[in-house]
Amino acid sequence: MTDTERTNPVLTVEGIEHAYGRVTVLEDVSMDVHPGEVTAIIGPNGAGKTTLIRSIVGLHQPTEGAVTYRGPGAVRPIGYLQQRPAFRPGQSVREALSFYASLVGETGADAVERLERVGLGAAADRDVEALSGGMTRLVGIAQATIGDPPLVVLDEPASGLDPGMSVRIFEVAEELATAGTAVLLSSHDLTLVERAADRVALLDDGSIARLGSPREIRDSVGA
């Protein structure tokens, strides 16, 4: 990936506002997401992280502002992992991912390759209902990469997981970014964010209070 490709954002958020009735959840939020980087959204519960992510992936229509995808043409521009991924009961992991792969013209073999990338190739024939929470998240990340979307968005991918599996989730995010994918994730685990993220957006009370590298954020808040 060239320096120019890294510099040009794959997605731009401009002046996003979102309200539920009279309650404003997001207010004048602007940020860019770049290819080859892990961008992390952090902040306390209720800060608006999930609402922002759902606006970015098109599940919410902002009250004001715009979300503009600026990446290359792709069958699937954005891959998305929600907080609690779910798959159809009674299917194997292979069957579940093969179904998603068929929607974008990939094969079952491609789906298994996605599993191998996240370290779950040996679990292809396991029933989706027999997966641990961490394995379910990894399968969800594999599903989010089907179609090679230039942007992958992960909403609290390590929430509720044991430390070892949380580390693995963030390692996969780093691996995706190293391969040139733009990764946007939200998290409460500041240690993992500091380790994996290239840029951090600190969201507080619906607005971005700080935006920069982990070191810049840490220095600016004196923590």
Side-chain angles (χ1 to χ4, degrees):
M1 177 174 292
T2 66
D3 291 340
T4 299
E5 289 173 324
R6 285 186 179 274
T7 302
N8 294 331
V10 71
L11 183 130
T12 298
V13 177
E14 298 176 287
I16 285 292
E17 298 189 6
H18 192 91
Y20 295 101
R22 297 182 179 180
V23 179
T24 299
V25 180
L26 297 174
E27 185 173 4
D28 195 25
V29 174
S30 297
M31 62 183 294
D32 291 327
V33 181
H34 294 261
E37 292 186 354
V38 175
T39 301
I41 302 172
I42 64 173
N45 288 331
K49 298 187 297 298
T50 292
T51 299
L52 175 57
I53 280 181
R54 290 175 68 85
S55 296
I56 287 172
V57 301
L59 296 178
H60 282 330
Q61 179 64 40
T63 307
E64 298 288 344
V67 177
T68 305
Y69 175 77
R70 301 181 182 279
V75 175
R76 188 184 185 193
I78 300 176
Y80 172 54
L81 173 68
Q82 60 186 343
Q83 283 191 35
R84 296 177 179 83
F87 300 96
R88 184 178 298 175
Q91 288 187 322
S92 68
V93 174
R94 185 195 306 273
E95 290 169 336
L97 291 190
S98 293
F99 168 74
Y100 287 106
S102 69
L103 298 179
V104 296
E106 290 192 357
T107 66
D110 294 323
V112 173
E113 182 182 350
R114 307 286 176 181
L115 277 177
E116 292 172 347
R117 290 182 187 177
V118 300
L120 286 184
D125 295 317
R126 184 176 298 190
D127 192 286
V128 292
E129 296 169 287
L131 299 175
S132 67
M135 293 175 72
T136 299
R137 301 282 175 84
L138 286 171
V139 172
I141 294 175
Q143 186 273 325
T145 65
I146 288 174
D148 291 319
L151 170 62
V152 172
V153 180
L154 312 174
D155 190 3
E156 295 284 358
S159 177
L161 302 183
D162 66 73
M165 185 57 78
S166 296
V167 168
R168 178 56 190 153
I169 294 288
F170 273 74
E171 286 176 345
V172 171
E174 290 182 90
E175 290 164 7
L176 289 171
T178 298
T181 302
V183 178
L184 176 67
L185 59 83
S186 62
S187 180
H188 285 102
D189 194 321
L190 302 187
T191 300
L192 289 175
V193 166
E194 185 170 11
R195 168 182 165 175
D198 298 286
R199 295 202 306 152
V200 177
L202 173 57
L203 199 62
D204 185 30
D205 198 24
S207 299
I208 292 183
R210 300 284 192 280
L211 181 63
S213 70
R215 174 173 290 182
E216 290 169 340
I217 299 297
R218 184 186 61 213
D219 292 346
S220 69
V221 299

